[in-house]
Amino acid sequence: MISSAVRGAVTTTALATACVLLPASVALADAGDEDIEKVTVTGVTVAENRPDDRAAGDSWTTYMRLYTPHRKHAGDGTSQCTAVKVTARKRVVQCTRVLRLKRGSLILGDLITHQGRATVTAKTAILGGTGHYNDAEGQGTVTVRRDRIRFSLAVDD
């Protein structure tokens, strides 16, 4: 039977070793990570069921066609959004988005504050992907302007 003093010493040694080795292994994993792929597409709304008078808790879905900066068809996508806070002057909206591109899909998540009908740009997180993007992470921006949304993403795979 191992005494509690020995168990404590073994546990302390194991934790100290993990704390020393973990940052080094993370640094090594990121050291050669220079394969950032820029993805820029614009979504044009095809169908949407967004309510005119949104209240906190209201959800809606948007389906869009995606185009490259050179206006070539790039795929399609959806946004599932929920109003989280609504006041007379602004709306805070949380969205999960799926961009279905030729080489795979990207899944995004963001929180956007809208003020009236003004164009708004916000950060978005790349939560994952499929196909070519199966190991995707990173971030980017979404710019929402009426029935168009521009995605500028730095995809780290």
PDB file of all heavy atoms in Angstrom, residues 26-38 132 137 154-157:
ATOM      1  N   VAL A  26       2.918  22.891 -26.863  1.00  0.00           N
ATOM      2  CA  VAL A  26       2.006  23.799 -27.548  1.00  0.00           C
ATOM      3  C   VAL A  26       2.793  24.753 -28.425  1.00  0.00           C
ATOM      4  O   VAL A  26       2.427  25.020 -29.569  1.00  0.00           O
ATOM      5  CB  VAL A  26       1.121  24.567 -26.533  1.00  0.00           C
ATOM      6  CG1 VAL A  26       0.351  25.668 -27.224  1.00  0.00           C
ATOM      7  CG2 VAL A  26       0.180  23.611 -25.828  1.00  0.00           C
ATOM      8  N   ALA A  27       3.889  25.281 -27.921  1.00  0.00           N
ATOM      9  CA  ALA A  27       4.724  26.189 -28.708  1.00  0.00           C
ATOM     10  C   ALA A  27       5.277  25.475 -29.933  1.00  0.00           C
ATOM     11  O   ALA A  27       5.313  26.043 -31.014  1.00  0.00           O
ATOM     12  CB  ALA A  27       5.857  26.738 -27.850  1.00  0.00           C
ATOM     13  N   LEU A  28       5.698  24.216 -29.794  1.00  0.00           N
ATOM     14  CA  LEU A  28       6.205  23.474 -30.934  1.00  0.00           C
ATOM     15  C   LEU A  28       5.115  23.230 -31.957  1.00  0.00           C
ATOM     16  O   LEU A  28       5.344  23.316 -33.159  1.00  0.00           O
ATOM     17  CB  LEU A  28       6.784  22.135 -30.475  1.00  0.00           C
ATOM     18  CG  LEU A  28       8.118  22.206 -29.742  1.00  0.00           C
ATOM     19  CD1 LEU A  28       8.515  20.820 -29.249  1.00  0.00           C
ATOM     20  CD2 LEU A  28       9.196  22.763 -30.662  1.00  0.00           C
ATOM     21  N   ALA A  29       3.904  22.958 -31.508  1.00  0.00           N
ATOM     22  CA  ALA A  29       2.807  22.710 -32.427  1.00  0.00           C
ATOM     23  C   ALA A  29       2.473  23.959 -33.228  1.00  0.00           C
ATOM     24  O   ALA A  29       2.126  23.882 -34.401  1.00  0.00           O
ATOM     25  CB  ALA A  29       1.574  22.244 -31.655  1.00  0.00           C
ATOM     26  N   ASP A  30       2.571  25.146 -32.624  1.00  0.00           N
ATOM     27  CA  ASP A  30       2.226  26.384 -33.307  1.00  0.00           C
ATOM     28  C   ASP A  30       3.397  26.986 -34.069  1.00  0.00           C
ATOM     29  O   ASP A  30       3.197  27.853 -34.902  1.00  0.00           O
ATOM     30  CB  ASP A  30       1.700  27.418 -32.296  1.00  0.00           C
ATOM     31  CG  ASP A  30       0.293  27.078 -31.841  1.00  0.00           C
ATOM     32  OD1 ASP A  30      -0.354  26.264 -32.519  1.00  0.00           O
ATOM     33  OD2 ASP A  30      -0.142  27.628 -30.813  1.00  0.00           O
ATOM     34  N   ALA A  31       4.632  26.530 -33.794  1.00  0.00           N
ATOM     35  CA  ALA A  31       5.810  27.147 -34.400  1.00  0.00           C
ATOM     36  C   ALA A  31       5.792  27.066 -35.919  1.00  0.00           C
ATOM     37  O   ALA A  31       6.101  28.022 -36.607  1.00  0.00           O
ATOM     38  CB  ALA A  31       7.079  26.513 -33.852  1.00  0.00           C
ATOM     39  N   GLY A  32       5.405  25.939 -36.484  1.00  0.00           N
ATOM     40  CA  GLY A  32       5.404  25.786 -37.929  1.00  0.00           C
ATOM     41  C   GLY A  32       4.035  25.981 -38.540  1.00  0.00           C
ATOM     42  O   GLY A  32       3.788  25.566 -39.650  1.00  0.00           O
ATOM     43  N   ASP A  33       3.135  26.584 -37.817  1.00  0.00           N
ATOM     44  CA  ASP A  33       1.747  26.719 -38.246  1.00  0.00           C
ATOM     45  C   ASP A  33       1.559  27.991 -39.056  1.00  0.00           C
ATOM     46  O   ASP A  33       1.019  28.970 -38.589  1.00  0.00           O
ATOM     47  CB  ASP A  33       0.844  26.719 -37.010  1.00  0.00           C
ATOM     48  CG  ASP A  33      -0.572  26.310 -37.348  1.00  0.00           C
ATOM     49  OD1 ASP A  33      -0.800  25.860 -38.477  1.00  0.00           O
ATOM     50  OD2 ASP A  33      -1.443  26.453 -36.473  1.00  0.00           O
ATOM     51  N   GLU A  34       2.029  27.958 -40.301  1.00  0.00           N
ATOM     52  CA  GLU A  34       1.951  29.139 -41.146  1.00  0.00           C
ATOM     53  C   GLU A  34       1.033  28.908 -42.332  1.00  0.00           C
ATOM     54  O   GLU A  34       1.121  29.603 -43.334  1.00  0.00           O
ATOM     55  CB  GLU A  34       3.361  29.519 -41.619  1.00  0.00           C
ATOM     56  CG  GLU A  34       4.265  29.870 -40.458  1.00  0.00           C
ATOM     57  CD  GLU A  34       5.705  30.070 -40.889  1.00  0.00           C
ATOM     58  OE1 GLU A  34       5.986  30.011 -42.093  1.00  0.00           O
ATOM     59  OE2 GLU A  34       6.534  30.281 -40.000  1.00  0.00           O
ATOM     60  N   ASP A  35       0.137  27.932 -42.239  1.00  0.00           N
ATOM     61  CA  ASP A  35      -0.739  27.595 -43.354  1.00  0.00           C
ATOM     62  C   ASP A  35      -2.123  28.225 -43.179  1.00  0.00           C
ATOM     63  O   ASP A  35      -3.125  27.545 -43.120  1.00  0.00           O
ATOM     64  CB  ASP A  35      -0.835  26.083 -43.530  1.00  0.00           C
ATOM     65  CG  ASP A  35      -1.211  25.355 -42.248  1.00  0.00           C
ATOM     66  OD1 ASP A  35      -1.035  25.933 -41.170  1.00  0.00           O
ATOM     67  OD2 ASP A  35      -1.678  24.208 -42.335  1.00  0.00           O
ATOM     68  N   ILE A  36      -2.149  29.541 -43.111  1.00  0.00           N
ATOM     69  CA  ILE A  36      -3.400  30.277 -42.991  1.00  0.00           C
ATOM     70  C   ILE A  36      -3.964  30.480 -44.398  1.00  0.00           C
ATOM     71  O   ILE A  36      -3.272  30.979 -45.285  1.00  0.00           O
ATOM     72  CB  ILE A  36      -3.189  31.656 -42.321  1.00  0.00           C
ATOM     73  CG1 ILE A  36      -2.559  31.516 -40.945  1.00  0.00           C
ATOM     74  CG2 ILE A  36      -4.498  32.427 -42.264  1.00  0.00           C
ATOM     75  CD1 ILE A  36      -3.408  30.867 -39.899  1.00  0.00           C
ATOM     76  N   GLU A  37      -5.199  30.071 -44.598  1.00  0.00           N
ATOM     77  CA  GLU A  37      -5.861  30.249 -45.887  1.00  0.00           C
ATOM     78  C   GLU A  37      -6.885  31.373 -45.763  1.00  0.00           C
ATOM     79  O   GLU A  37      -7.724  31.356 -44.878  1.00  0.00           O
ATOM     80  CB  GLU A  37      -6.564  28.949 -46.292  1.00  0.00           C
ATOM     81  CG  GLU A  37      -7.272  29.024 -47.615  1.00  0.00           C
ATOM     82  CD  GLU A  37      -7.966  27.724 -47.979  1.00  0.00           C
ATOM     83  OE1 GLU A  37      -7.591  26.663 -47.451  1.00  0.00           O
ATOM     84  OE2 GLU A  37      -8.900  27.780 -48.792  1.00  0.00           O
ATOM     85  N   LYS A  38      -6.791  32.328 -46.647  1.00  0.00           N
ATOM     86  CA  LYS A  38      -7.753  33.430 -46.667  1.00  0.00           C
ATOM     87  C   LYS A  38      -8.957  32.998 -47.491  1.00  0.00           C
ATOM     88  O   LYS A  38      -8.812  32.520 -48.618  1.00  0.00           O
ATOM     89  CB  LYS A  38      -7.143  34.690 -47.285  1.00  0.00           C
ATOM     90  CG  LYS A  38      -5.933  35.205 -46.539  1.00  0.00           C
ATOM     91  CD  LYS A  38      -6.309  35.783 -45.209  1.00  0.00           C
ATOM     92  CE  LYS A  38      -5.080  36.369 -44.530  1.00  0.00           C
ATOM     93  NZ  LYS A  38      -5.337  36.814 -43.198  1.00  0.00           N
ATOM     94  N   HIS A 132     -12.042  19.704 -46.992  1.00  0.00           N
ATOM     95  CA  HIS A 132     -10.753  20.399 -46.951  1.00  0.00           C
ATOM     96  C   HIS A 132     -10.569  21.156 -45.635  1.00  0.00           C
ATOM     97  O   HIS A 132      -9.455  21.351 -45.172  1.00  0.00           O
ATOM     98  CB  HIS A 132     -10.667  21.351 -48.143  1.00  0.00           C
ATOM     99  CG  HIS A 132      -9.458  22.230 -48.146  1.00  0.00           C
ATOM    100  ND1 HIS A 132      -8.197  21.759 -48.442  1.00  0.00           N
ATOM    101  CD2 HIS A 132      -9.314  23.555 -47.883  1.00  0.00           C
ATOM    102  CE1 HIS A 132      -7.330  22.758 -48.362  1.00  0.00           C
ATOM    103  NE2 HIS A 132      -7.975  23.861 -48.024  1.00  0.00           N
ATOM    104  N   GLU A 137      -9.892  26.125 -37.822  1.00  0.00           N
ATOM    105  CA  GLU A 137     -10.104  27.024 -36.698  1.00  0.00           C
ATOM    106  C   GLU A 137      -9.646  28.395 -37.170  1.00  0.00           C
ATOM    107  O   GLU A 137      -9.133  28.546 -38.282  1.00  0.00           O
ATOM    108  CB  GLU A 137      -9.310  26.576 -35.474  1.00  0.00           C
ATOM    109  CG  GLU A 137      -7.814  26.504 -35.709  1.00  0.00           C
ATOM    110  CD  GLU A 137      -7.064  25.924 -34.524  1.00  0.00           C
ATOM    111  OE1 GLU A 137      -7.639  25.138 -33.768  1.00  0.00           O
ATOM    112  OE2 GLU A 137      -5.891  26.284 -34.360  1.00  0.00           O
ATOM    113  N   ALA A 154      -9.728  34.062 -41.946  1.00  0.00           N
ATOM    114  CA  ALA A 154      -8.360  33.533 -41.906  1.00  0.00           C
ATOM    115  C   ALA A 154      -8.472  32.123 -41.328  1.00  0.00           C
ATOM    116  O   ALA A 154      -8.590  31.941 -40.120  1.00  0.00           O
ATOM    117  CB  ALA A 154      -7.465  34.418 -41.048  1.00  0.00           C
ATOM    118  N   VAL A 155      -8.484  31.141 -42.212  1.00  0.00           N
ATOM    119  CA  VAL A 155      -8.716  29.743 -41.818  1.00  0.00           C
ATOM    120  C   VAL A 155      -7.376  29.089 -41.527  1.00  0.00           C
ATOM    121  O   VAL A 155      -6.506  29.014 -42.392  1.00  0.00           O
ATOM    122  CB  VAL A 155      -9.447  28.980 -42.933  1.00  0.00           C
ATOM    123  CG1 VAL A 155      -9.735  27.545 -42.494  1.00  0.00           C
ATOM    124  CG2 VAL A 155     -10.743  29.690 -43.329  1.00  0.00           C
ATOM    125  N   ASP A 156      -7.228  28.601 -40.311  1.00  0.00           N
ATOM    126  CA  ASP A 156      -6.028  27.891 -39.889  1.00  0.00           C
ATOM    127  C   ASP A 156      -6.374  26.413 -39.836  1.00  0.00           C
ATOM    128  O   ASP A 156      -7.236  26.003 -39.080  1.00  0.00           O
ATOM    129  CB  ASP A 156      -5.586  28.390 -38.513  1.00  0.00           C
ATOM    130  CG  ASP A 156      -4.265  27.802 -38.063  1.00  0.00           C
ATOM    131  OD1 ASP A 156      -3.683  26.994 -38.814  1.00  0.00           O
ATOM    132  OD2 ASP A 156      -3.825  28.151 -36.958  1.00  0.00           O
ATOM    133  N   ASP A 157      -5.731  25.649 -40.679  1.00  0.00           N
ATOM    134  CA  ASP A 157      -5.993  24.203 -40.655  1.00  0.00           C
ATOM    135  C   ASP A 157      -4.738  23.486 -40.283  1.00  0.00           C
ATOM    136  O   ASP A 157      -4.461  22.447 -40.218  1.00  0.00           O
ATOM    137  CB  ASP A 157      -6.562  23.724 -41.989  1.00  0.00           C
ATOM    138  CG  ASP A 157      -5.672  24.011 -43.166  1.00  0.00           C
ATOM    139  OD1 ASP A 157      -4.670  24.716 -43.009  1.00  0.00           O
ATOM    140  OD2 ASP A 157      -5.983  23.541 -44.269  1.00  0.00           O
TER     141      ASP A 157
END
